[in-house]
């Protein structure tokens, strides 16, 4: 079998972009493990700083030992005396005993204390539960007990413990909001949980941290920690059905949404559209971005014209439509607030 070099370029480029997107987590939008916005992430960042200090001290000790080795290569004794017995004791003490004690301490701290404090508590100890379902390549967000459904943007009340239940609809994904808590895998057939408890109001960017295909690098999400009153207002609006279009052009767009097969993939509650392939569009205009934070919401017209341009490989095909249908459809989607 002959494999052409060109056939490997696209997957390799996608993997490189994905690794850069995850690896450069601290480059903006508070996607930064060292700027904790929760008690749980503070535990993780504290452990990181202590481990960094320990690694720096260890590096310094090794550098000193290398210097001493160079010093005594033509000398019988170490500086200050000691001979071979002192050298052996030094190697055993600093090379075996100290690392075992220090690494054991780090293990106990990380495994018993940090993991326990960052894990999700029982649902009875949290104020609410949110379900997040991973798809290639977007996030479905549901609020059990309500009809609220959204995509790629998770709203939580600030200073309120939230039990986040994650699953996947296809391949393995990994949910990670660096400023709020550690990563958690999303594995087919399993339900994993993580605690979100933001200590201050703000927007916190997250990322899929498990390579899941061509657009893994463009599978991001935002977590909004809102004041309780604002969150309750947002949730009530999200639970309501879509508003009826108020203009003739928007009503024409409703018909275009049905005839152009959009309704086969998307749901708009309060209408006949009940597709399950793509995101729920009932309150599309409450979101600030499209395609899992790939493009701003202001480019909605470009997105529905050619979705494969901004995010190649996604499940939304380009649909040939007339200019009139495009304008009508855009008017309707812009009315979904």
């Amino acid at each position: 079998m002959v494999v052409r070099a060109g056939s490997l370029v696209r997957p390799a480029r996608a993997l490189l972009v994905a690794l850069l997107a995850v690896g450069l987590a601290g480059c903006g939008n508070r996607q930064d493990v060292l700027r904790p916005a929760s008690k749980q992430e503070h535990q993780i960042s504290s452990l990181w700083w202590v481990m960094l200090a320990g690694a720096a001290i260890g590096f310094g000790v090794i550098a000193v030992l290398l210097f001493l080795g160079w010093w005594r290569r033509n000398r019988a004794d170490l500086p200050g005396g000691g001979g071979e017995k002192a050298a052996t004791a030094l190697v055993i003490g600093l090379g075996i005993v100290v690392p075992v004690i220090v690494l054991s301490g780090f293990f106990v701290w990380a495994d018993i204390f940090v993991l326990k404090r960052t894990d999700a508590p029982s649902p009875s100890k949290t104020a609410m539960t949110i379900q997040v379902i991973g798809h290639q390549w977007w996030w479905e967000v549901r609020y059990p007990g309500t009809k609220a459904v959204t995509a790629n943007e998770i709203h939580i009340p600030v200073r309120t413990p939230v039990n986040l239940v994650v699953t996947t609809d296809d391949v393995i994904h990994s949910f990670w909001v660096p400023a709020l808590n550690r990563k958690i895998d999303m594995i087919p057939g399993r339900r994993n949980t993580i605690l979100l408890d933001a200590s201050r109001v703000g927007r916190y960017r997250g990322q899929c941290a498990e390579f899941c295909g061509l657009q893994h690098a463009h599978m991001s999400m935002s977590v909004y920690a809102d004041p309780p009153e604002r969150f309750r207002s947002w949730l009530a609006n999200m639970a309501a059905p879509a508003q009826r279009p108020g203009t003739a052009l928007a009503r024409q767009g409703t018909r275009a949404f049905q005839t152009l097969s959009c309704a086969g993939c998307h749901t708009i509650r309060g209408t006949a559209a009940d597709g399950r392939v793509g995101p729920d569009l009932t309150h599309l205009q409450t979101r600030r971005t499209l395609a899992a934070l790939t493009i701003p919401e202001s480019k909605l017209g470009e997105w529905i014209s050619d979705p494969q341009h901004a995010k190649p490989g996604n499940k939304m095909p380009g649909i040939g439509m007339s200019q009139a249908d495009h304008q009508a459809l855009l008017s309707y989607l812009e009315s979904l607030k």
Side-chain angles (χ1 to χ4, degrees):
M1 182 179 67
V2 177
V3 179
R4 294 183 178 181
S7 65
L8 301 177
V9 172
R10 192 175 183 183
R13 182 185 300 142
L15 177 59
L16 178 60
V17 172
L19 292 175
L20 288 173
V22 176
L24 300 178
C27 289
N29 269 337
R30 296 191 180 186
Q31 191 169 328
D32 189 347
V33 296
L34 301 181
R35 294 181 59 190
S38 70
K39 295 178 181 178
Q40 294 72 37
E41 186 57 34
H42 181 73
Q43 292 283 335
I44 296 172
S45 63
S46 296
L47 175 62
W48 187 90
W49 282 113
V50 173
M51 291 182 67
L52 176 64
I57 293 172
F59 177 81
V61 170
I62 292 173
V64 170
L65 291 177
L66 288 173
F67 174 77
L68 292 179
W70 170 82
W71 176 277
R72 70 185 298 270
R73 58 182 175 169
N74 293 320
R75 295 170 176 81
D77 297 325
L78 290 171
E84 293 298 332
K85 290 184 178 180
T88 301
L90 187 64
V91 170
I92 293 175
L94 296 181
I96 300 177
V97 177
V98 173
V100 168
I101 294 174
V102 172
L103 293 177
S104 297
F106 280 140
F107 174 79
V108 171
W109 185 9
D111 193 55
I112 296 180
F113 295 99
V114 175
L115 284 181
K116 183 178 180 180
R117 292 172 182 174
T118 59
D119 204 2
S122 63
S124 62
K125 295 182 179 180
T126 56
M128 62 183 303
T129 296
I130 299 175
Q131 183 181 16
V132 176
I133 305 169
H135 301 267
Q136 287 180 308
W137 293 274
W138 59 281
W139 309 88
E140 181 181 355
V141 185
R142 294 183 172 272
Y143 291 76
T146 75
K147 295 182 179 180
V149 181
T150 186
N152 306 316
E153 297 184 4
I154 305 169
H155 286 253
I156 62 174
V158 70
R159 291 182 290 278
T160 303
V162 174
N163 183 39
L164 198 75
V165 180
V166 299
T167 59
T168 176
D169 187 56
D170 37 55
V171 302
I172 296 175
H173 301 282
S174 185
F175 182 92
W176 187 32
V177 184
L180 297 181
N181 211 332
R182 57 185 171 87
K183 304 174 187 177
I184 185 169
D185 287 337
M186 309 169 82
I187 301 172
R190 294 194 59 179
R191 291 163 58 91
N192 290 331
T193 59
I194 195 73
L195 175 67
L196 293 185
D197 188 2
S199 57
R200 59 179 181 268
V201 173
R203 174 190 178 191
Y204 305 100
R205 184 184 175 97
Q207 176 73 36
C208 178
E210 182 76 27
F211 183 71
C212 56
L214 180 63
Q215 289 297 323
H216 164 67
H218 291 154
M219 187 174 174
S220 303
M221 96 288 289
S222 289
V223 175
Y224 292 88
D226 298 327
E229 300 80 8
R230 186 190 304 169
F231 172 77
R232 287 192 291 268
S233 175
W234 175 88
L235 187 63
N237 179 65
M238 296 301 295
Q243 298 179 1
R244 292 186 177 182
T247 66
L249 185 61
R251 288 191 290 271
Q252 182 182 340
T254 306
R255 294 188 292 272
F257 190 85
Q258 298 288 340
T259 59
L260 292 173
S261 73
C262 304
C265 293
H266 297 281
T267 291
I268 297 180
R269 285 177 283 114
T271 73
D274 61 353
R276 300 291 181 180
V277 179
D280 186 299
L281 303 181
T282 304
H283 299 286
L284 174 62
Q285 290 302 306
T286 63
R287 303 170 199 164
R288 300 182 184 181
T289 63
L290 300 171
L293 278 63
T294 303
I295 56 177
E297 190 278 331
S298 59
K299 294 189 176 181
L300 177 60
E302 299 176 23
W303 171 250
I304 62 178
S305 295
D306 187 7
Q308 295 299 316
H309 175 74
K311 200 167 186 176
N314 80 85
K315 294 181 181 179
M316 183 173 169
I319 301 175
M321 67 181 82
S322 66
Q323 184 66 22
D325 282 343
H326 180 271
Q327 291 298 323
L329 181 59
L330 180 59
S331 177
Y332 174 55
L333 294 178
E334 288 178 340
S335 71
L336 300 175
K337 299 180 180 179

